[in-house]
């Protein structure tokens, strides 16, 4: 059937009162009701698909934001990395037999700063190599 004809039948069926539809000949009544039901089913299906697509996009956006937020919280940039690395190298060279806790930790500002620096470097390395590992899994 042509789209114009189906639209005309649907319009006619939607305008009729149920009592008028009952008085019609069975072939005409069934044609109008079948057309109305078919077009309505198509409209509902299209609307459901649109809603589903919107829902999936919303879920993806929310998941991306959450992942970015978590990653950003875990990977706080350590300021002055290069200077810190220079101080670590100088401290290690000046006392090669000294312990890390006694020689290097005081130079970088403590164990926490060194762990943050190592986590950032590991995350950057993993991202550069295409490895999707959690930074805390790489550095212990």
């Amino acid at each position: 059937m042509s789209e114009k004809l189906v639209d005309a039948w649907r319009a006619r069926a939607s305008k009729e009162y149920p009592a008028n539809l009952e008085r019609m000949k069975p072939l005409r009544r069934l044609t109008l009701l079948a057309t109305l039901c078919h077009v309505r089913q198509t409209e509902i299906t299209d609307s459901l698909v649109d809603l589903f697509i919107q829902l999936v996009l919303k879920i993806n956006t929310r998941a991306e934001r959450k992942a970015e937020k978590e990653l950003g919280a875990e990977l706080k940039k350590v300021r002055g990395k290069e200077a810190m690395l220079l101080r670590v190298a100088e401290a290690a060279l000046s006392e090669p037999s000294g312990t890390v806790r006694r020689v290097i930790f005081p130079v970088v500002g403590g164990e926490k700063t060194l762990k943050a620096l190592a986590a950032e470097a590991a995350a950057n390395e993993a991202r550069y190599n295409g490895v999707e590992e959690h930074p805390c899994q790489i550095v212990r």
Side-chain angles (χ1 to χ4, degrees):
M1 301 290 159
S2 74
E3 212 172 305
K4 273 184 164 180
L5 184 59
V6 171
D7 288 341
W9 285 346
R10 182 203 190 278
R12 182 170 176 197
S14 62
K15 290 178 186 174
E16 291 288 340
Y17 288 106
N20 292 344
L21 284 171
E22 270 185 328
R23 283 186 239 136
M24 290 182 183
K25 293 183 179 176
L27 188 59
R28 178 179 288 168
R29 179 178 56 230
L30 292 175
T31 301
L32 292 177
L33 288 175
T35 303
L36 179 66
C37 290
H38 171 73
V39 172
R40 208 46 208 129
Q41 180 183 8
T42 305
E43 290 170 353
I44 290 171
T45 303
D46 290 346
S47 296
L48 285 174
V49 168
D50 288 341
L51 284 172
F52 181 70
I53 290 170
Q54 288 174 0
L55 180 65
V56 168
L57 289 175
K58 191 173 187 178
I59 289 170
N60 283 342
T61 303
R62 190 175 290 165
E64 286 174 6
R65 282 187 198 143
K66 185 177 180 182
E68 288 172 2
K69 184 178 178 183
E70 288 175 0
L71 187 61
E74 289 175 5
L75 296 177
K76 292 182 180 173
K77 296 233 177 202
V78 178
R79 299 206 183 270
K81 291 184 281 260
E82 291 79 15
M84 199 179 296
L85 182 59
L86 177 63
R87 290 194 306 266
V88 167
E90 287 173 346
L93 290 173
S94 68
E95 289 190 54
S97 60
T99 63
V100 172
R101 193 171 302 283
R102 188 176 60 77
V103 175
I104 296 180
F105 282 179
V107 175
V108 295
E111 184 177 355
K112 185 177 178 182
T113 306
L114 195 58
K115 280 185 179 181
L117 182 64
E120 182 182 338
N124 287 338
E125 181 69 22
R127 193 176 308 130
Y128 177 75
N129 291 331
V131 177
E132 293 293 328
E133 286 190 45
H134 193 276
C136 294
Q137 295 172 340
I138 298 170
V139 177
R140 301 205 188 270

